[in-house]
Amino acid sequence: MKNLLTAALAALLCSCGGANYTITGRYELPPGDSVYLLASDNTVLAAGVVNADTTVSLQGTVTTPDLVFLANAKRTNHPAWLFLEPGKIRIEKYDPAFGYVVCGTPLNDRKKAFDEAMYAFGDKLRKGSPGQSLQAILAEMNALYTRTVDANLDNVFGAWVFNSYEFQNIKDNPEKVKARLAQFTPGIQAHPMLKKSQDASQATARSAVGQPYTDFSCKNAAGETIALSSLTGPGRWVLLDFWATWCTPCMNEVPHLKKAYETFHAKGFEIYGVSLDTDLTRWENTIGEQGMNWINVAQKKGGGFDPTALYAVSSIPANFLISPEGKIVAKNLRGEHLEEKLAEVLK
């Protein structure tokens, strides 16, 4: 940690009041195209033009290191993620395995080494490793996460490794998450990445089986606001279903949802489908074409509100079965398991 801070301080002092970071290297955009350095919230931090040899050169001043990315104006190319910190940051190359390889400063060098280690583990998982079981390889990976976070509790690289990797192993245990976050230095604890992990862990606890459901509202295709609570209550079993038309596994579930709805709707079964589609025309057409005759609302019609955060939904399809008493009694019922559960509770 001392070397990291010393290097950052030296770079800052050498800047003599001017730019204290530079970003150079080859970026895969046509010469003359604009390239932007963006914060995670898409705030533009710097901008430049791709040179004739497809290299870029940006410079500026940074006081607090953070994870940022390079992209074109429409964000349609592969982003180059990097840690913005004082020093000479170099984009080495684009690697299909883990994107742009960035180095030259302490945090970026650490990320490069971590990515290389992760690629080696991925290679083991794909090809197998003589004398090593799958469980042993995964245990090694988890040990890498822990060692890396332990060594970087005072910087944003450690926060990134925790949020992207280690958190996935403990997210269902809010107390473990809280204890781990407390090990970071106060300044890093306040970083949005760690706040996101804390919020996700709390949402996981709130949406666990046995917990009361959390109400929210979104709009349907006609623009009408419909609350989840408008479907719940005595005699009603409600499936809260997160899906999207572009999600193949979600669309594979539609026949099962239709069968369950047709079989059990008269007995009090309801579906509150929340689409994550951005193409609302496609969403509306799919509802009609597939005969999805239950309540359908769209996240995009929620005015910026994100219901997935309430239920810690990180992938779809995802669903939650809510009892007449307002409790979550099951999660992620797929295929015939949904019908089996409904047959059990709606005898």
Side-chain angles (χ1 to χ4, degrees):
M1 296 306 100
K2 184 177 180 181
N3 290 339
L4 179 64
L5 295 173
T6 301
L9 181 59
L12 181 60
L13 292 174
C14 288
S15 68
C16 300
N20 67 350
Y21 75 81
T22 59
I23 302 172
T24 57
R26 193 173 302 280
Y27 192 53
E28 302 302 323
L29 283 176
D33 269 19
S34 296
V35 60
Y36 298 89
L37 182 66
L38 300 148
S40 57
D41 63 358
N42 284 320
T43 299
V44 177
L45 304 174
V49 176
V50 180
N51 299 319
D53 60 356
T54 71
T55 60
V56 296
S57 180
L58 299 173
Q59 65 177 15
T61 302
V62 58
T63 54
T64 303
D66 208 352
L67 184 64
V68 301
F69 65 101
L70 288 174
N72 63 356
K74 295 183 178 180
R75 320 290 193 266
T76 54
N77 63 317
H78 291 289
W81 288 95
L82 57 93
F83 287 100
L84 187 63
E85 59 183 329
K88 296 180 179 179
I89 301 168
R90 300 193 311 277
I91 303 172
E92 282 193 341
K93 61 180 179 179
Y94 177 76
D95 189 311
F98 40 75
Y100 283 94
V101 178
V102 181
C103 61
T105 56
L107 296 184
N108 287 299
D109 288 345
R110 293 181 187 200
K111 183 178 184 299
K112 178 184 176 183
F114 180 82
D115 285 343
E116 289 171 349
M118 288 299 296
Y119 181 79
F121 279 123
D123 209 37
K124 279 187 178 182
L125 292 172
R126 286 188 296 272
K127 300 177 181 178
S129 180
Q132 261 194 317
S133 65
L134 173 62
Q135 290 75 16
I137 296 172
L138 293 176
E140 277 191 26
M141 290 177 65
N142 291 333
L144 172 65
Y145 306 157
T146 301
R147 288 197 310 273
T148 305
V149 173
D150 284 343
N152 293 277
L153 292 168
D154 63 349
N155 62 67
V156 70
F157 169 63
W160 173 76
V161 175
F162 173 78
N163 189 64
S164 302
Y165 297 94
E166 189 181 34
F167 173 69
Q168 304 307 316
N169 294 330
I170 61 174
K171 64 181 181 180
D172 293 336
N173 190 325
E175 290 306 313
K176 280 190 176 181
V177 173
K178 183 178 179 181
R180 187 53 155 160
L181 293 178
Q183 295 176 348
F184 285 87
T185 56
I188 299 301
Q189 285 182 36
H191 194 279
M193 270 194 285
L194 296 189
K195 179 65 165 59
K196 182 179 179 181
S197 296
Q198 181 74 61
D199 291 346
S201 177
Q202 292 172 350
T204 298
R206 285 197 307 269
S207 58
V209 171
Q211 295 297 311
Y213 80 95
T214 301
D215 192 24
F216 65 91
S217 301
C218 283
K219 292 182 179 180
N220 64 10
E224 300 166 329
T225 299
I226 302 177
L228 174 59
S229 58
S230 68
L231 275 68
T232 61
R236 291 185 172 186
W237 290 82
V238 181
L239 187 73
L240 169 60
D241 182 49
F242 292 92
W243 70 290
T245 61
W246 45 259
C247 166
T248 300
C250 298
M251 296 309 299
N252 290 341
E253 288 298 311
V254 171
H256 298 288
L257 293 173
K258 287 178 64 177
K259 185 177 179 182
Y261 190 73
E262 291 166 0
T263 303
F264 296 102
H265 178 58
K267 296 183 178 181
F269 176 56
E270 302 283 356
I271 300 177
Y272 187 86
V274 182
S275 167
L276 307 190
D277 282 284
T278 55
D279 185 340
L280 297 183
T281 299
R282 177 178 175 179
W283 166 62
E284 292 179 25
N285 290 340
T286 299
I287 292 170
E289 292 166 0
Q290 295 291 328
M292 301 167 69
N293 298 321
W294 48 85
I295 298 298
N296 282 285
V297 297
Q299 176 189 12
K300 190 174 181 181
K301 285 178 169 283
F305 168 70
D306 181 12
T308 63
L310 289 178
Y311 286 84
V313 173
S314 57
S315 62
I316 53 174
N319 62 46
F320 303 80
L321 184 62
I322 302 168
S323 73
E325 293 74 33
K327 296 289 183 69
I328 297 170
V329 297
K331 296 170 64 172
N332 297 324
L333 295 167
R334 307 267 172 81
E336 295 178 354
H337 295 297
L338 174 59
E339 293 175 59
E340 291 170 358
K341 184 65 177 179
L342 292 174
E344 174 191 325
V345 300
L346 288 170
K347 295 177 181 178

